[in-house]
Structures are given as structure tokens and as C-alpha cells.
């Protein structure tokens, strides 16, 4: 391994893993500030990093000093990565990172042995706004871990030093799974030139890890590693470190334990992209997208966690603001207490997971929404989430979606006003009438099986609401709405939009429902 070490994002031989690892190295160098390891000089630019060391240092000693400054442990034996800049007071975030890393990058006990003489797990009390007494979580303390010693790579062996002194061409070294989780060799181990193997050790720093708890029963993944496609080292290093900050002003979605618990891999990836780009303005961003690697138990390996899926995501989507709104209102997870008092976190709502999965699959943001309201109990719970659903509706950019939702909302507003008028005149329960009518509409929408049936029902619903008069949105957007509802290809989208509109209606006024419907 020659001095200096020169890494460039523009290297044509680099994969997304190399570029992400270079981002992790950049964040680490930035964390050193003016206190670089003794004898080490690292220069950071937007495109690359140059590392050199004093003439009196051997390559192995220089690498040891770099690793010692890059991979640490806290007094509580939690993994501490200076490049991620987790601040004091954010121990809950550090716990989430620790537990996810020890189940992905460092899942084998030999890669992160416990402190001498220690067995079992340590307790950690997590307090939330809803539970001031806190719930007990656990973690496995770490005495040391593979990144601190370049374990099983051969990078720090004296044979490498002798080859370098003799001027021989350095042979490739091994890339163990703790460098690239889930990567498997075939007949031979994965190998790379020493400088690339050293670089990949910093992949763990650049890749935020999430705990997966999916609402979709078929999903068995337990963790997600988000691999960013870094395009600007300066911006990425700054953005990565600011994710962990607890400062006021800019909302972060992944800077707490509960923020690292999500429904799906796509949700994790989009949550990270939003946090990374919180202070950037397109197209001047630190990443061009990312790779979401979901990991869990697979049928062919009962012993360890393996890759179950890899999903490539772009850096931006036209309806990303819909996910942003869904994440802001529904993205917080909650802690559930087990029988023995220990807790575990689960997502509060399936909505962000659904929207994220749709965007990543290049589907309409509302696809499969009917799966969230097909059960009556789920439908009733969704009806109490009107504030968040309304925020999602206001974030929609597509003109066709806006027109359909707007027409439905106006028809539903008039329908409710008529029901409350009837309740007042006949001394009936107005809320009960509205609830029964809402349930009737849900069943009617779900039962439609063709585009023609749904368009006929929709036009009849609008006509009944106005007692035969022209509905305002239908009159103003007549051509757009008719073109949309009579297009056979729009049936699924139309059905999901109607169901979304049914549960997302919310008055802008603060009075009681009866007062609103005068």
C-alpha cells in the first residue's frame, strides 16, 4: 500500500459501495477537525481524499492510528463512530445504531466479542413523551469489534509490510462480510487491492441502519442498511453528521431510536434521503440516490441474517412531498411493552411504508391504499387520522389527483351537511348518520370491479350530493375529470383515490361537526 493514499469519487472502477465508503471516510476526516491522528495528514475535497503520514511511520502503524481514531467504543460499551457525530444526550440513537450494526455488519460474535467475563444483555431505559417512566430495552455490550483491528483482512500483517519494503506488487486481501454485509464469495473469498479493502471498512460509517417492523405480514426482513450514492464528499460529510443533531429549526426523521424503526426498506431509504437533503437545494445535493439493502432470516440459512432484497432508489420523486407529509404525521414509532416488562418499538402507521414502497416501485403514490381500509376496524382507525391525511392531500402535485380528491371532498361535504340538517330536523344522532353513510360509501367503492361501474357510481354520488345541480369542482374541471374517470387504465388509481378522499376529508374550521355542517 503506497503513500499517499489517494481516493477519488470519479474513479471509474468504484461501485456504489466504494463511493459510500469514501463518504464514510470523508465524514470521519471531517470529525477529526484540527485533531488528526498523530503523524497523519488527511486532505478532504468534494471529489476525493488524500491521506499521507510521517516518514517515520510504517504503513501498518499509520493504518492502526487511523482505525483507532475512526472506530471507538463508549464507556457503556456501545459502538461509537465519530464520523456519524452522535452527540451527548442522544444515547437512544446510539442504542439503535449499536443494535442494528451488531445484527448486520457485526452479527457474528467473533466480530464483536463481549467484554471479558460478561454474559447476557445489558438493560437500557428508553423514555418517551408518552411514557415518562420508560421501558426497558436491551443491548449486547461490545469489548472490541472487527473494524478496530481490520480483522481477517490481512491489512495489518507484517507480511504486507515486507512486500511493500521489497517493492513487490501487493497481493489482494480478503473482504470479510463485516465490510460489506450480505456479500458472499463463491469458491474463493472476496478480495480487493489493499487500499480498496481499507476504504470499504468505512462503509459502516456512511450507511445509516434501520430496524424494520413491517405491517405487511409477508415481509420478514428485520434490518435495513441504506447505502448512499455519494456525489459530493464535503456536502455528504456535513449532511451525515447533521442528521444526528438535536438542534431546532430543521426537522430530522432519523435522529432518534424511534426514528430508526420503520415499516419497510423503502421507507428507511426515503427517510434518510429527506434528512440528507434537508439543507440542500436541488440539484446541488450530496447523493444521487441510494441502495436499500433489507436483511433478515432466509429459508436457506437459519443461523445468520442475510440479504433478503436490494432496492435502488433515485434521489428525487415527483410526489416525494406526499411521503414527507406522511412521514411527518405518521412516521413516529411507539414502544410496546412485552409480558416481562421489556419493550420493543413498532411503527405507528402503515401509511409511510405504503407510500414509500409505491414511489420506489415507480407506482402511483396511492396504489394499494384500499388494503389499509378494506377491514372495517382499520378503516375506522384511518378516519381518526384526518390531520395527517389532509397534509398528504395538500402535498399532492398531480393535477388529476387534485381534481378527483377535490370533487369527492366537495360532494362529501354537501352530503354531510344534508345529513346534519336531517338530524336537527328529526332529532336524530347526526354523527351516527354520518358514520353509517361513510361506511356505506366505503363498501360501495370497494365493491366496484370495473372502471365503468366506478365512474357511474362517482357521478351519481356527486349528483346526489347537489340534488341534481352541478358540483363546483366537476363544473370547473369537467374535461380533466371526465377524461380521467372514463379511462379504463385509471381504475385502480381512481378507486384508491376515492377511498383516500373518503378518509382524508377534514374541515378547516375548528367547530364541532354539527356546527361545521350548517
Amino acid at each position: 500500500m503506497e503513500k499517499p493514499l489517494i481516493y477519488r469519487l470519479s474513479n471509474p472502477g468504484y461501485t456504489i459501495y466504494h463511493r459510500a465508503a469514501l463518504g464514510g471516510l470523508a465524514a470521519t476526516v471531517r470529525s477529526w477537525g484540527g485533531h488528526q491522528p498523530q503523524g497523519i495528514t488527511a486532505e478532504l475535497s468534494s471529489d476525493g481524499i488524500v491521506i499521507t503520514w510521517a516518514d517515520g511511520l510504517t504503513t501498518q502503524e499509520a493504518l492502526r492510528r487511523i482505525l483507532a481514531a475512526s472506530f471507538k467504543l463508549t464507556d457503556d460499551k456501545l459502538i461509537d463512530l465519530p464520523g456519524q457525530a452522535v452527540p451527548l444526550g442522544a444515547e437512544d440513537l446510539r442504542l439503535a445504531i449499536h443494535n442494528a450494526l451488531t445484527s448486520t455488519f457485526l452479527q457474528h460474535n467473533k466480530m464483536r466479542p463481549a467484554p471479558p467475563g460478561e454474559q447476557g444483555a445489558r438493560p437500557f431505559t428508553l423514555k418517551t413523551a408518552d411514557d415518562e417512566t420508560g421501558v426497558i430495552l436491551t443491548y449486547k455490550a461490545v469489548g472490541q469489534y472487527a473494524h478496530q483491528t481490520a480483522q481477517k483482512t490481512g491489512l495489518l500483517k507484517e507480511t504486507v509490510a515486507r512486500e511493500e519494503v521489497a517493492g513487490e506488487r501487493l497481493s489482494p486481501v480478503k473482504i470479510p462480510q463485516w465490510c460489506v454485509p450480505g456479500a458472499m464469495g463463491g469458491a474463493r473469498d472476496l478480495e480487493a487491492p489493499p487500499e480498496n479493502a481499507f476504504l470499504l471498512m468505512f462503509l459502516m460509517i456512511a450507511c445509516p441502519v434501520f430496524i424494520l417492523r413491517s405491517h405487511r405480514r409477508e415481509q420478514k426482513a428485520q434490518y435495513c442498511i441504506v447505502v448512499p450514492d455519494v456525489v459530493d464528499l464535503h456536502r455528504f460529510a456535513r449532511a451525515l453528521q447533521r442528521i444526528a443533531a438535536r438542534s431546532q429549526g430543521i426537522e430530522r426523521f432519523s435522529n432518534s431510536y424511534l426514528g430508526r424503526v420503520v415499516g419497510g426498506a423503502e421507507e428507511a431509504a426515503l427517510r434518510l434521503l429527506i434528512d440528507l437533503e434537508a439543507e440542500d437545494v436541488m440539484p446541488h445535493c450530496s447523493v444521487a440516490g441510494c441502495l436499500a439493502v433489507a436483511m433478515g432470516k432466509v429459508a436457506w440459512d437459519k443461523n445468520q441474517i442475510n440479504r433478503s432484497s436490494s432496492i435502488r432508489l433515485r434521489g428525487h420523486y415527483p410526489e416525494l412531498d406526499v411521503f414527507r407529509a406522511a412521514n411527518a404525521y405518521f412516521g413516529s414509532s411507539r414502544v410496546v411493552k412485552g409480558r416481562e416488562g421489556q419493550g420493543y418499538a413498532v411503527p405507528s402507521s402503515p401509511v409511510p411504508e405504503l407510500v414509500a414502497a409505491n414511489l420506489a416501485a415507480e407506482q402511483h403514490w396511492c396504489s394499494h391504499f384500499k388494503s389499509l381500509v378494506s377491514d372495517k376496524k382499520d378503516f375506522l382507525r384511518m378516519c381518526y387520522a384526518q390531520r395527517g391525511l389532509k397534509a398528504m392531500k395538500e402535498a399532492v402535485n398531480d393535477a388529476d389527483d387534485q381534481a378527483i380528491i377535490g370533487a369527492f371532498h366537495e360532494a362529501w361535504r354537501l352530503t354531510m351537511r344534508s345529513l346534519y340538517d336531517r338530524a336537527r330536523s328529526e332529532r336524530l344522532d347526526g354523527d351516527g348518520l354520518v358514520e353509517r353513510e361513510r361506511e356505506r360509501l366505503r363498501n360501495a367503492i370497494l365493491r366496484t370491479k370495473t372502471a365503468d361501474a366506478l365512474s357511474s357510481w362517482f357521478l351519481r354520488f356527486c349528483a346526489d350530493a347537489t340534488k341534481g345541480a352541478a358540483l363546483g369542482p366537476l363544473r370547473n374541471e369537467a374535461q380533466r375529470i371526465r377524461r380521467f374517470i372514463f379511462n379504463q387504465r385509471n381504475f385502480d388509481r381512481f378507486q384508491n383515490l376515492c377511498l383516500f378522499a373518503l378518509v382524508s376529508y377534514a374541515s378547516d374550521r375548528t367547530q364541532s361537526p354539527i356546527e361545521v355542517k350548517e
Side-chain angles (χ1 to χ4, degrees):
M1 187 180 293
E2 297 181 356
K3 180 178 68 172
L5 286 175
I6 301 176
Y7 298 107
R8 298 293 180 194
L9 276 178
S10 53
N11 187 327
Y14 280 180
T15 66
I16 186 174
Y17 292 100
H18 293 91
R19 292 191 292 274
L22 188 49
L25 179 57
T28 301
V29 170
R30 188 176 190 271
S31 72
W32 295 340
H35 303 283
Q36 297 187 351
Q38 185 177 2
I40 307 298
T41 301
E43 298 180 3
L44 172 63
S45 67
S46 294
D47 180 64
I49 297 175
V50 178
I51 301 177
T52 188
W53 48 90
D55 292 336
L57 287 180
T58 65
T59 300
Q60 279 62 43
E61 180 58 28
L63 297 185
R64 287 190 181 95
R65 293 186 182 185
I66 294 172
L67 295 181
S70 305
F71 302 98
K72 300 182 178 182
L73 288 168
T74 68
D75 293 339
D76 293 325
K77 301 303 180 183
L78 290 164
I79 294 172
D80 178 21
L81 304 176
Q84 293 188 353
V86 178
L88 293 174
E91 285 76 14
D92 62 318
L93 173 60
R94 194 182 301 281
L95 175 69
I97 295 172
H98 177 93
N99 283 347
L101 290 179
T102 54
S103 298
T104 52
F105 283 88
L106 300 164
Q107 59 180 289
H108 200 287
N109 290 334
K110 293 181 179 179
M111 301 298 107
R112 35 91 181 168
E118 181 164 336
Q119 295 181 350
R122 293 189 182 186
F124 181 96
T125 302
L126 177 67
K127 295 183 179 181
T128 65
D130 299 327
D131 189 351
E132 295 183 357
T133 60
V135 294
I136 303 299
L137 304 176
T138 60
Y139 71 95
K140 293 182 179 180
V142 171
Q144 66 176 35
Y145 53 102
H147 294 72
Q148 295 178 308
T149 59
Q151 188 172 337
K152 291 189 175 181
T153 63
L155 280 171
L156 301 183
K157 289 184 178 180
E158 292 302 321
T159 53
V160 177
R162 287 197 295 269
E163 286 179 341
E164 183 178 341
V165 172
E168 299 176 11
R169 181 180 179 83
L170 294 180
S171 58
V173 297
K174 294 181 181 179
I175 302 179
Q177 284 195 31
W178 56 261
C179 278
V180 185
M184 293 187 177
R188 298 180 57 185
D189 292 328
L190 296 175
E191 295 180 333
E195 60 273 14
N196 284 358
F198 179 71
L199 174 63
L200 287 172
M201 293 176 62
F202 291 83
L203 180 65
M204 183 169 75
I205 297 172
C207 299
V209 281
F210 291 79
I211 302 169
L212 299 186
R213 298 291 183 266
S214 177
H215 285 83
R216 295 178 288 178
R217 292 183 175 87
E218 72 276 10
Q219 298 293 321
K220 297 181 179 180
Q222 295 171 287
Y223 298 94
C224 178
I225 301 169
V226 184
V227 185
D229 193 356
V230 179
V231 295
D232 187 308
L233 295 178
H234 264 310
R235 287 180 179 273
F236 177 77
R238 181 187 63 190
L240 181 68
Q241 292 174 350
R242 289 186 177 180
I243 285 179
R246 300 287 173 97
S247 58
Q248 301 293 325
I250 297 179
E251 184 178 15
R252 310 286 182 182
F253 296 115
S254 58
N255 67 347
S256 66
Y257 183 93
L258 296 181
R260 293 296 177 101
V261 179
V262 296
E266 302 92 342
E267 181 184 352
L270 290 184
R271 183 175 291 197
L272 173 66
L273 290 176
I274 289 175
D275 279 354
L276 285 176
E277 298 176 6
E279 300 170 30
D280 289 333
V281 178
M282 294 292 289
H284 304 291
C285 295
S286 60
V287 296
C290 63
L291 181 70
V293 180
M295 300 189 68
K297 291 293 182 66
V298 294
W300 45 268
D301 189 347
K302 302 296 184 181
N303 297 321
Q304 63 179 348
I305 295 175
N306 292 274
R307 292 189 186 190
S308 57
S309 65
S310 296
I311 307 162
R312 190 68 182 257
L313 289 92
R314 295 186 282 111
H316 186 73
Y317 294 88
E319 295 291 3
L320 186 60
D321 284 343
V322 177
F323 172 76
R324 193 190 306 270
N327 201 41
Y329 284 91
F330 302 112
S332 61
S333 297
R334 56 191 175 90
V335 178
V336 179
K337 290 185 179 180
R339 294 181 179 178
E340 299 180 358
Q342 294 186 352
Y344 60 95
V346 295
S348 299
S349 170
V351 174
E353 178 185 2
L354 179 75
V355 175
N358 286 334
L359 296 182
E362 303 292 345
Q363 296 179 348
H364 186 261
W365 63 270
C366 201
S367 293
H368 313 294
F369 186 81
K370 66 181 180 182
S371 67
L372 304 185
V373 294
S374 57
D375 182 84
K376 185 175 181 179
K377 291 182 179 179
D378 293 338
F379 173 71
L380 291 176
R381 278 193 291 267
M382 198 68 69
C383 288
Y384 286 105
Q386 292 174 335
R387 184 182 178 191
L389 296 172
K390 179 184 178 184
M392 291 172 59
K393 174 252 180 184
E394 292 175 348
V396 172
N397 291 316
D398 187 88
D400 289 342
D401 292 354
Q402 291 176 342
I404 296 299
I405 296 173
F408 193 104
H409 278 180
E410 178 62 13
W412 179 230
R413 184 186 70 82
L414 294 174
T415 299
M416 286 193 294
R417 185 175 69 178
S418 177
L419 290 173
Y420 280 113
D421 286 344
R422 178 189 165 195
R424 277 192 292 266
S425 63
E426 299 180 16
R427 298 178 180 270
L428 300 175
D429 177 12
D431 291 340
L433 289 177
V434 169
E435 264 188 46
R436 288 190 289 273
E437 180 65 13
R438 186 188 288 117
E439 174 63 14
R440 189 186 71 80
L441 293 179
R442 179 184 74 94
N443 289 327
I445 298 169
L446 288 172
R447 288 184 183 129
T448 56
K449 303 301 180 184
T450 66
D452 289 340
L454 184 58
S455 58
S456 297
W457 174 88
F458 180 77
L459 293 175
R460 186 170 60 254
F461 168 59
C462 293
D464 290 344
T466 59
K467 301 185 180 348
L471 189 72
L474 275 182
R475 183 175 61 251
N476 299 334
E477 296 280 357
Q479 185 176 356
R480 178 182 298 278
I481 291 177
R482 290 184 179 276
R483 184 173 62 244
F484 179 88
I485 67 176
F486 290 119
N487 186 337
Q488 302 286 333
R489 296 179 179 179
N490 291 334
F491 170 66
D492 285 335
R493 178 179 170 186
F494 186 20
Q495 186 180 44
N496 284 302
L497 284 173
C498 286
L499 290 167
F500 175 81
L502 180 60
V503 295
S504 63
Y505 176 84
S507 173
D508 292 330
R509 298 173 61 178
T510 58
Q511 292 93 336
S512 68
I514 292 181
E515 290 175 327
V516 169
K517 312 305 175 192
E518 77 274 5

